Amino acid sequence: MAKKPRTNEIVPNQNISFPIGTIHTVENLYRVLNCSKIFGKHKKNGIDINKLLKALFSYKLNENFSIKRAHEWINHAEVLEIFDLEPFGERTLYRILETIGAHKDEIISDLQDILFERYDFEHTDINMDWTSIVLHGNEANLGKYGYSRDHRPDKKQITLGVSELADPINIPIGLTIEPGNTNDQKHFKKTYNQVKGRLKKDSLVIFDKGANSITNTAMIRADNLQYMTSKKLNTSDDRIISRFEKYNPLTIDAEKGIRGIKILKPNSVNYLFFSESLQKEQLESRARKILSQIHEAKAIQESIDCGKKLPKRFRINNLLIDVEYSVQTKLIELTEDEAVKLLEENIINGREGFFCLKSSKNLTLAEALLTYRKKDSIEKIFNSLKNEIEIKPLRVWTDNSIYGALMIGFISQLFVSLIRYEIPELKHTSTKFIKKSLSNLTVTVDSWERKVKTYVYSNFDAINVMVLRSYWAVSGGEMS
């Protein structure tokens, strides 16, 4: 009778593996952007800032937890050896963030110098957009309550503005950071001023309606640049909407049922579109709102009929506010059909499915729609920064530490965007997959019971080989 084979015993050893693909890529991109010169001038004494930053960027594009964890990872003997560093304390990394944050504007300007010297970009049209990030804690001056894109109105936040060279380049070239209560119209000026000097005459500045104002569009035109934005529909638009079919709208996208008309103004053009798919979405949303209000009214009426207190969700819950409620719903005088009709008249406004773009440039309807649609690439940058580069959550630090942490995230994103720009095959590959592929390429340092360490490379794949070969070619080396 054959004996059952025994499970091999697992014996612990001292081997260590780390993401050599990420480290090599950071090293190469650091050289491409001449980062040693950009950062080196801001710290000349003590530990080498460039060695630390290479290690920090490598960590950011790999595990990316806290500064504490970054400090632990970098202080492994083998990692210190790769970056030619001596062991250092956790506080050293916080001082690096402070230094980067204190010189953020000069660093952004220097990076722009390198980008525009190195690359002959086919255009300098830019997308601009703004978002917010939750700030945990109450000590940093930047933290303010404001409109939260992260759906956390209970937390203080900061706002970010990002500029990117538009499609097909899609490289971020600007980052501005403002207090959390700064609205987009106000933040626009700082974001725009950071990049406007890099733009060629008649370049197109594309941004959404949150930042649209007469002052901001006039600022762009005064610099001999063009703009495209979205505008809020108003009563003058309602008159055109009511006669939309009489203008013989042109079909732009048959699949989504998008048709449009151009309205020429003295100094701009309005592009008014109607979308069947958008109308369906908006009507469904309004129907849900009508049902919600019917249910709320019924709950309140039931409380009145039974002589009960209003349900808690309808009351003001503040110990410092004393309120006597006198509530009567219209349900006692309306049938449910009449109530629905009343809500429809007040919630459905006839604008469902319509949206309007505005530009200083006279384009075709199709060109205008396509140009604005491509602005969603900057939304992908925000998603990448927040969820893949993981610049959040932000903890309580000084303002300069917050600036520095966000700059590390922004430059990490710039590295990934440059990979996509320089390697056409990766144009549509997400940050997540590029990061994962690079970190999968590991080197294992085998020192167990050996007098001499051996290095074992593993997990090559199509993406990391493509990236490493590309930058080895740039540096004049070879990859075997």
Side-chain angles (χ1 to χ4, degrees):
M1 180 176 175
K3 291 183 179 181
K4 185 177 180 180
R6 296 172 59 188
T7 304
N8 291 330
E9 185 179 355
I10 297 175
V11 180
N13 58 49
Q14 301 302 312
N15 296 351
I16 181 173
S17 297
F18 46 91
I20 199 67
T22 305
I23 292 170
H24 278 323
T25 301
V26 167
E27 178 74 40
N28 288 320
L29 285 163
Y30 209 86
R31 183 182 60 255
V32 164
L33 292 175
N34 201 10
C35 290
S36 293
K37 181 179 179 181
I38 291 173
F39 295 113
K41 62 184 175 183
H42 299 301
K43 185 179 181 299
K44 296 183 179 179
N45 300 319
I47 194 166
D48 190 323
I49 188 173
N50 286 303
K51 293 176 182 178
L52 276 174
L53 283 173
K54 288 177 189 177
L56 196 52
F57 284 127
S58 297
Y59 181 77
K60 191 74 178 169
L61 288 169
N62 177 36
E63 293 185 6
N64 187 33
F65 291 106
S66 62
I67 289 295
K68 180 179 177 65
R69 293 284 293 275
H71 168 258
E72 293 171 358
W73 182 80
I74 297 170
N75 271 277
H76 279 112
E78 289 79 8
V79 178
L80 289 170
E81 183 180 343
I82 279 188
F83 292 106
D84 190 24
L85 286 166
E86 297 294 327
F88 60 91
E90 184 180 328
R91 181 59 194 154
T92 300
L93 289 184
Y94 285 104
R95 286 196 293 269
I96 289 295
L97 294 184
E98 292 265 354
T99 300
I100 298 303
H103 299 94
K104 66 183 188 307
D105 294 327
E106 184 178 354
I107 291 169
I108 290 286
S109 179
D110 287 345
L111 284 169
Q112 289 175 354
D113 285 343
I114 297 296
L115 285 169
F116 285 93
E117 286 171 9
R118 178 179 175 82
Y119 300 100
D120 183 19
F121 294 124
E122 52 262 60
H123 67 74
T124 56
D125 295 346
I126 58 165
N127 298 318
M128 293 168 50
D129 207 350
W130 298 265
T131 191
S132 61
I133 297 179
V134 169
L135 182 63
H136 294 270
N138 297 307
E139 295 178 15
N141 294 326
L142 279 172
K144 303 291 181 186
Y145 292 106
Y147 173 67
S148 175
R149 275 86 159 189
D150 288 336
H151 309 292
R152 290 298 306 269
D154 58 314
K155 294 286 187 183
K156 289 185 177 180
Q157 62 180 25
I158 60 169
T159 58
L160 300 183
V162 170
S163 307
E164 70 149 355
L165 291 168
D167 189 78
I169 303 170
N170 302 121
I171 293 176
I173 60 169
L175 173 72
T176 54
I177 306 160
E178 289 288 277
N181 58 355
T182 307
N183 65 42
D184 292 356
Q185 284 189 6
K186 182 178 179 182
H187 200 156
F188 175 93
K189 183 176 181 180
K190 187 170 184 179
T191 307
Y192 171 70
N193 283 338
Q194 188 183 62
V195 297
K196 69 176 185 181
R198 310 291 176 170
L199 310 184
K200 299 172 185 174
K201 183 180 177 183
D202 286 330
S203 291
L204 190 61
V205 181
I206 308 155
F207 54 97
D208 64 22
K209 60 187 172 187
N212 183 11
S213 72
I214 293 173
T215 300
N216 290 341
T217 54
M219 194 186 314
I220 295 169
R221 296 299 291 134
D223 292 324
N224 294 314
L225 300 172
Q226 308 285 348
Y227 69 84
M228 171 169 282
T229 184
S230 175
K231 70 181 288 288
K232 295 178 182 178
L233 297 173
N234 54 39
T235 52
S236 64
D237 295 310
D238 287 338
R239 290 193 293 271
I240 298 173
I241 287 171
S242 66
R243 296 178 291 159
F244 186 72
E245 296 301 331
K246 294 182 179 179
Y247 292 98
N248 297 317
L250 182 67
T251 298
I252 309 301
D253 185 333
E255 184 180 342
K256 294 187 177 180
I258 299 179
R259 296 173 293 140
I261 60 174
K262 283 172 63 171
I263 305 159
L264 299 177
K265 302 284 186 177
N267 298 307
S268 63
V269 182
N270 285 353
Y271 304 85
L272 182 64
F273 296 94
F274 171 76
S275 166
E276 291 176 4
S277 59
L278 178 62
Q279 183 190 49
K280 182 181 178 183
E281 290 173 12
Q282 291 178 337
L283 287 174
E284 287 173 350
S285 173
R286 282 155 175 71
R288 289 192 295 270
K289 185 174 181 179
I290 289 169
L291 284 174
S292 173
Q293 293 197 5
I294 289 285
H295 291 150
E296 287 182 2
K298 283 182 175 180
I300 293 172
Q301 186 62 51
E302 184 180 346
S303 298
I304 295 170
D305 294 342
C306 297
K308 297 178 181 178
K309 280 188 174 182
L310 286 179
K312 189 174 181 179
R313 66 184 182 277
F314 302 124
R315 286 186 268 138
I316 297 175
N317 298 297
N318 189 322
L319 293 174
L320 301 177
I321 300 176
D322 189 15
V323 178
E324 289 186 8
Y325 292 95
S326 177
V327 180
Q328 180 176 334
T329 74
K330 292 187 177 183
L331 291 180
I332 59 172
E333 57 190 50
L334 296 174
T335 66
E336 186 165 325
D337 287 344
E338 289 171 333
V340 170
K341 186 176 180 180
L342 176 66
L343 289 171
E344 285 177 345
E345 289 172 353
N346 285 271
I347 293 175
I348 298 175
N349 57 26
R351 296 177 182 174
E352 291 78 18
F354 286 92
F355 61 97
C356 188
L357 306 180
K358 180 179 180 179
S359 180
S360 57
K361 207 167 181 180
N362 192 346
L363 305 168
T364 67
L365 285 161
E367 287 171 339
L369 183 60
L370 181 60
T371 300
Y372 193 78
R373 275 179 169 177
K374 286 183 177 180
K375 187 187 74 68
D376 71 352
S377 60
I378 202 165
E379 296 289 342
K380 293 175 182 175
I381 284 181
F382 282 141
N383 178 68
S384 177
L385 281 169
K386 289 184 177 184
N387 302 313
E388 295 169 345
I389 299 296
E390 297 178 272
I391 57 175
K392 62 176 189 176
L394 286 174
R395 303 295 177 187
V396 178
W397 299 328
T398 64
D399 286 355
N400 277 339
S401 290
I402 292 172
Y403 292 144
L406 292 172
M407 284 289 292
I408 295 296
F410 173 78
I411 296 168
S412 298
Q413 178 63 53
L414 173 60
F415 285 171
V416 175
S417 296
L418 279 173
I419 289 171
R420 281 195 286 258
Y421 178 70
E422 294 195 330
I423 306 174
E425 294 88 343
L426 300 181
K427 169 71 175 173
H428 301 292
T429 305
S430 73
T431 300
K432 176 182 177 181
F433 288 119
I434 291 173
K435 273 185 61 180
K436 184 176 180 180
S437 172
L438 293 175
S439 61
N440 279 347
L441 176 54
T442 58
V443 61
T444 300
V445 183
D446 182 0
S447 58
W448 188 48
E449 296 182 349
R450 295 176 186 271
K451 292 182 180 179
V452 179
K453 293 179 181 178
T454 61
Y455 295 83
V456 181
Y457 292 82
S458 55
N459 301 323
F460 287 93
D461 64 31
I463 293 177
N464 58 44
V465 168
M466 207 179 299
V467 172
L468 293 176
R469 278 185 173 154
S470 174
Y471 287 108
W472 247 283
V474 169
S475 62
E478 293 183 359
M479 179 180 172
S480 58

